[in-house]
Amino acid sequence: MSRLELLTPEGLRIDGRRANELRRITAKTSVFSQADGSAYIEQGNTKCLAAVYGPREARYRQQLQSDRALLNVEFNVAPFSTSERKKRSKNDKRSLEMATFIRQTFEPVILTKQLPKSQIDIYLQIFQHDGGVLQCCINAATMALIDAGIPMIDYVCACSAGCIDKVPVLDLNNLEESSDTPELTVAILPRTGKVNLVEMESRLHIEKLESVTELASQGCMQVHKVLDSVIRENTEYLRDRLNT
């Protein structure tokens, strides 16, 4: 499928969205009772479960850091999440790369110095892959960390944007990603607007970089509204339970 077919003359995309529209986001927290914090999110047809354990004693003494907590991230894609039925181990190169991106995104945000000599584990599982996996994982991890009561300076909200036939588009799906569409993933801290992650896997013309980055940042703010609403609803629910 060519890029021209990804965007109609009326400005509509394959899934019916306009260029600046997010996919539908459904999210909830406290979905996994055995974890200290957990969250489930659907962004379009991409589905991710995040579980957080900790702060707890470091698994290996040689990893222990006396002045801060150790952050560990494990990322996995279920074999049935894509049409390829490809099984990936947690030591798969792409999985390790994704885990590193996520760990580096959260290390400056989590107040690790308040939790010395401890370890925080974030486990991420993709159940369905329809594009935007990195952003979906970051958003799910944010909610799970908040659910676990881990101290952070702000939310971390992520969104992608790309360029189809010279038109900036928001929140690419798998079909758009697999059609050689330039894609940029941005994660920001909503209160300050500080950019915490910029990741791009394909080349984008310099003239389009500013507009695509700005669109992705606007998408992050829209994501923040959704995540904040979910967190507030869950907090009110827990408060009401304690008062009854």
Side-chain angles (χ1 to χ4, degrees):
M1 178 174 285
S2 68
R3 286 189 194 176
L4 292 175
E5 294 174 310
L6 294 176
L7 199 64
T8 68
E10 294 78 21
L12 296 177
R13 295 151 72 177
I14 292 296
D15 54 12
R17 288 182 294 151
R18 296 198 175 276
N20 62 348
E21 287 183 345
L22 281 174
R23 291 175 293 175
R24 178 181 174 85
I25 299 176
T26 303
K28 52 187 175 181
T29 57
S30 303
V31 296
F32 192 40
S33 60
Q34 296 177 339
D36 294 307
S38 60
Y40 174 77
I41 190 168
E42 295 181 8
Q43 293 190 220
N45 291 322
T46 298
K47 302 175 182 179
C48 177
L49 175 68
V52 171
Y53 296 86
R56 59 186 182 182
E57 186 178 352
R59 194 176 305 169
Y60 305 107
R61 284 193 172 273
Q62 59 268 31
Q63 294 180 332
L64 193 96
Q65 298 186 45
S66 59
D67 63 336
R68 66 187 64 204
L70 172 70
L71 183 61
N72 175 58
V73 177
E74 290 192 15
F75 167 83
N76 189 47
V77 178
F80 54 79
S81 64
T82 66
S83 57
E84 295 179 348
R85 293 293 190 272
K86 181 181 178 182
K87 186 175 182 180
R88 289 182 180 177
S89 70
K90 65 181 181 180
N91 293 321
D92 173 79
K93 182 179 178 181
R94 179 58 178 162
S95 296
L96 291 173
E97 186 180 60
M98 290 284 285
T100 300
F101 280 139
I102 296 164
R103 178 176 54 78
Q104 291 175 345
T105 299
F106 282 98
E107 278 180 336
V109 181
I110 296 173
L111 299 176
T112 54
K113 290 187 178 180
Q114 292 187 7
L115 308 165
K117 300 181 180 180
S118 65
Q119 177 172 325
I120 300 168
D121 296 304
I122 304 174
Y123 295 95
L124 297 154
Q125 176 79 50
I126 295 293
F127 291 104
Q128 189 167 328
H129 185 330
D130 188 36
V133 167
L134 178 57
Q135 68 187 60
C136 193
C137 286
I138 290 172
N139 295 332
T142 294
M143 291 194 300
L145 286 164
I146 294 172
D147 189 50
I150 303 297
M152 300 196 296
I153 61 174
D154 199 355
Y155 284 75
V156 185
C157 300
C159 191
S160 68
C163 199
I164 298 175
D165 196 26
K166 299 182 180 180
V167 177
V169 294
L170 184 67
D171 191 14
L172 275 63
N173 60 33
N174 189 53
L175 183 60
E176 292 167 336
E177 287 182 352
S178 58
S179 300
D180 296 325
T181 302
E183 181 185 15
L184 179 76
T185 299
V186 173
I188 68 170
L189 308 184
R191 281 195 305 177
T192 61
K194 179 182 176 182
V195 176
N196 218 35
L197 170 75
V198 176
E199 191 267 338
M200 186 164 60
E201 294 189 4
S202 52
R203 291 191 295 179
L204 176 68
H205 198 285
I206 188 66
E207 292 180 357
K208 294 294 180 183
L209 180 60
E210 183 177 354
S211 59
V212 169
T213 304
E214 178 62 26
L215 185 61
S217 298
Q218 291 173 7
C220 291
M221 298 306 293
Q222 294 178 49
V223 170
H224 173 248
K225 290 181 180 179
V226 176
L227 302 191
D228 188 55
S229 175
V230 172
I231 293 297
R232 288 179 183 276
E233 285 179 10
N234 186 62
T235 303
E236 289 176 4
Y237 171 74
L238 293 175
R239 183 192 62 191
D240 292 341
R241 284 188 61 184
L242 288 172
N243 291 336
T244 55

